[in-house]
Amino acid sequence: VRCGVIICEDAWERGPALRAKEDGAELILIPNASPYRDDKQKDRLELFADRYADTGLPMVYCNLVGGQDELVFDGRSLLMDRAGVVAEPGPLCEEGLLLAEFEPGEGSLTWQDQCGSGPCPRLSSTDNPKESRAWPAPTSTASAAELDKVIVTGLRDYVRKNGFTDVVFGLSGGIDSSLVLAVAVDALGPERVHTVMMPSRHTSGLSIELAQKQAVGLGVDHRVISIEPAFEALLTLLEPSFVGHEADVTEENLQARARGNLIMALSNKFGWLPIVTSNKSELAVGYCTIYGDMCGGFGPLLDCTKMRVYELSRYRNTVSPAIPENVITRPPSAELRPDQQDQDSLPPYDVLDQVLQLYVEQDWSVEQIIAEGFDEQMVRRVARLVLINEYKRRQAPPGVRITHRAFGRDRRYPITSGWRDM
């Protein structure tokens, strides 16, 4: 069999595939290292359709599996036969030896023994391959099951490939840290996960109870270390300097940084990788404390909006009990002042996430977003928060990328800028 080998990005251009056909190729092989994003499989199938339209040749697309820094290579290798029919993709985020059978004369191409016995079922077919594309067009929104597997893979491989065995993070009784706990247990096993509840004068009894309940339920090492002595000592040290000034976000940040110190101390002492539990919504608008809850080496949820965190949490509980229901239903709060709720400082997360998706992920202008019916003052405030908090994101750890526009390599914006789109 004469094969044309087109490596990675060469497959996205017409020239290499056409050259392979001109040289007599009967089959095109595409070894690839294509990183995951929630609409990537749609692009891959469109790639297949384009190269098929150019050549009419069967193709094998073999993709890398595993995490590296922010990226997760998700596998899902593909086959397309001479009729333009795409077989079911290979497994998501799993290594394996996939055997395919190719008949040179007919151009038939099928997986063998992947779906039980015989060829896998096909996603689509066509009676006239020369005039129509026989590829499926999935939606760009990935399922929670898919995202969960990608995030688990990203965390597992980051820990393993960087020489760590265990992780440690604060478990607050809130939804973000609770989801991170479920992800960490799935990725590493409960014996490799260490959680710390760090209550202060503002921490509710319910938070302490929910954190304990989840930690016991998942079988992880859990400890309670109050930050109250450290917080009180810091207030005493700063009292002469703060005379005449009302309490504000400064005192809130002191608590977050006291917690960061404890997590980093445990990390240093035992060699555990500290995990950040923040999500994309908080990181976007700066609702996180630098040198506090941002202390850590990796952030599994840094590309997950708050609403996606809720979606993933509900999904994870359908697999097995992992997150107490009260964690999911209670109003989110940082518990850094009396009766605090996130919506005291931010728009409702369902609204905030819509604005962030348009502004950050789709590059819409403030005016375009307002024209969609969103409150003008709210949109301008959110845009301002996104821009002025770039300095925090530059100092954030890496985290699993699941969208086409994660913070970091995908969205580059200067910290110092005299221009503001708001």
Side-chain angles (χ1 to χ4, degrees), residues 202-270:
H202 303 306
T203 303
S204 68
L206 178 60
S207 294
I208 298 172
E209 176 187 334
L210 289 173
Q212 179 73 19
K213 179 180 179 180
Q214 187 186 16
V216 170
L218 291 178
V220 303
D221 169 40
H222 180 67
R223 63 200 71 198
V224 179
I225 306 176
S226 173
I227 64 164
E228 192 59 30
F231 182 38
E232 186 63 42
L234 289 168
L235 291 176
T236 300
L237 289 171
L238 290 165
E239 185 177 6
S241 298
F242 286 0
V243 168
H245 295 269
E246 295 293 327
D248 55 17
V249 70
T250 306
E251 285 75 13
E252 296 181 24
N253 287 341
L254 285 175
Q255 296 167 70
R257 289 176 181 138
R259 292 183 173 116
N261 266 302
L262 292 177
I263 294 297
M264 294 308 299
L266 291 169
S267 170
N268 291 161
K269 183 62 68 176
F270 301 112

Side-chain angles (χ1 to χ4, degrees), residues 2-55:
R2 293 177 62 86
C3 297
V5 180
I6 302 174
I7 298 174
C8 207
E9 291 189 4
D10 283 349
W12 297 88
E13 304 295 333
R14 299 184 65 198
L18 288 171
R19 178 63 182 272
K21 182 179 182 180
E22 291 170 0
D23 290 345
E26 301 172 84
L27 175 67
I28 293 180
L29 305 178
I30 309 173
N32 218 289
S34 176
Y36 178 86
R37 63 170 188 261
D38 56 6
D39 58 355
K40 192 60 169 285
Q41 196 73 342
K42 175 177 179 289
D43 287 349
R44 291 171 184 154
L45 292 164
E46 290 175 347
L47 162 69
F48 256 41
D50 289 340
R51 297 296 79 80
Y52 178 80
D54 293 337
T55 67

